[in-house]
Amino acid sequence: MSAMVLAQDAANINSGLAAIGYGLGAIGPGIGVGLIWAAVINGTARQPEAQSKLMGIAWTTFVLVEVLALIGLVVYFIAGG
């Protein structure tokens, strides 16, 4: 089989399976966001003067984790057709 046929077959995935795949793929970023903000709350409670530094790190990592969820959404639309 050529690469073109394999790519066309991959694009013809059932949309229901694509939705299940995206749902499973969104679990990781959801857990990641929860862990990020839990760590910020914990760190701020332990050392309040470090809040500004923790918030900067938290927003940066939050954006990186959310990019994974957006990539999953794009893949869902590609696979769902």
Side-chain angles (χ1 to χ4, degrees):
M1 280 190 187
S2 69
M4 181 64 100
V5 173
L6 290 175
Q8 288 173 348
D9 288 342
N12 292 330
I13 296 175
N14 184 355
S15 61
L17 291 176
I20 291 170
Y22 175 66
L24 291 173
I27 291 172
I31 292 171
V33 168
L35 289 174
I36 289 167
W37 294 113
V40 169
I41 292 168
N42 192 13
T44 302
R46 290 175 182 262
Q47 197 168 7
E49 63 272 6
Q51 181 183 9
S52 62
K53 187 177 283 190
L54 290 173
M55 290 299 287
I57 295 169
W59 282 111
T60 303
T61 55
F62 172 75
V63 168
L64 291 173
V65 168
E66 284 300 315
V67 165
L68 294 175
L70 291 175
I71 290 171
L73 186 64
V74 169
V75 170
Y76 163 71
F77 282 119
I78 291 172

